[in-house]
């Protein structure tokens, strides 16, 4: 599982060093793609294949499903970390997520997310207060 919050920096070549705790899971390859809330989703190759299989179940007649798949998959980039655990974030994804030099990389279980550090702080400040009020309807059976 990918967990925690890390604060790496983007280098001048658009690379970030993956958190050490994520490297084993992502060493064989990973997929970066547009995430919701203007972040970048990071999936292991295996997890991305699983997510894609689920997406294939969506009916082709659904406009919303077609639109989502187009945006999600057209922005996807498969990458392999180098020996130092660095991965290049393509320019289109850096632009989409508004990435500056300071980043926040958060673990969300089966994926990680890359955020601009300020955008993550703003998001967390907004959502953290509602977190304590989350009821069983949001995530059934967890409590």
């Amino acid at each position: 599982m990918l967990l925690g919050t890390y604060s790496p920096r983007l280098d001048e070549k658009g690379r970030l060093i993956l958190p050490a705790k994520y490297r084993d899971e992502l060493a064989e390859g990973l997929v970066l793609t547009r995430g919701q809330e203007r972040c970048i989703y990071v999936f292991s190759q295996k997890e991305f294949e699983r997510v894609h299989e689920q997406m294939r179940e969506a009916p082709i007649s659904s406009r919303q499903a077609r639109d989502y798949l187009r945006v999600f998959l057209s922005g996807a980039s498969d990458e392999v970390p180098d020996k130092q655990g660095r991965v290049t974030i393509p320019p289109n994804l850096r632009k989409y997520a508004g990435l500056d030099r300071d980043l926040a990389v958060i673990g969300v279980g089966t994926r990680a997310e890359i955020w601009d550090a300020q955008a993550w702080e703003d998001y967390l400040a907004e959502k953290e207060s509602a977190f304590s009020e989350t009821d069983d309807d949001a995530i059934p059976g967890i409590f």
Side-chain angles (χ1 to χ4, degrees):
M1 270 192 351
L2 302 173
L3 304 171
T5 301
Y6 303 89
S7 301
R9 297 188 76 150
L10 202 58
D11 72 12
E12 61 282 343
K13 295 181 180 178
R15 299 175 301 192
L16 82 104
I17 299 173
L18 293 170
K21 289 187 174 189
Y22 295 0
R23 290 185 198 162
D24 284 344
E25 185 159 343
L26 302 174
E28 299 299 316
L30 55 95
V31 177
L32 303 170
T33 193
R34 292 178 189 99
Q36 289 157 307
E37 291 85 33
R38 292 282 177 173
C39 69
I40 298 171
Y41 287 168
V42 182
F43 294 98
S44 68
Q45 191 71 39
K46 183 178 179 181
E47 181 62 16
F48 188 80
E49 289 169 11
R50 188 190 69 73
V51 168
H52 181 253
E53 283 302 313
Q54 285 182 309
M55 290 178 161
R56 289 180 60 181
E57 300 298 319
I60 198 165
S61 59
S62 167
R63 177 178 295 278
Q64 189 174 23
R66 289 192 314 269
D67 291 345
Y68 188 88
L69 284 168
R70 287 176 183 136
V71 172
F72 187 78
L73 296 174
S74 69
S77 177
D78 52 341
E79 305 288 334
V80 176
D82 67 13
K83 289 183 180 4
Q84 288 80 39
R86 294 178 302 193
V87 63
T88 300
I89 301 174
N92 66 315
L93 291 177
R94 292 195 310 260
K95 182 179 177 183
Y96 169 79
L99 300 184
D100 201 5
R101 193 153 165 76
D102 294 320
L103 306 176
V105 176
I106 64 168
V108 193
T110 59
R111 71 174 186 276
E113 295 178 353
I114 302 169
W115 291 72
D116 174 74
Q118 187 60 56
W120 171 246
E121 287 180 32
D122 295 346
Y123 176 85
L124 193 57
E126 179 185 331
K127 301 299 179 184
E128 212 166 22
S129 62
F131 172 77
S132 64
E133 299 170 13
T134 302
D135 59 26
D136 198 36
D137 294 340
I139 305 175
I142 196 165
F143 300 109

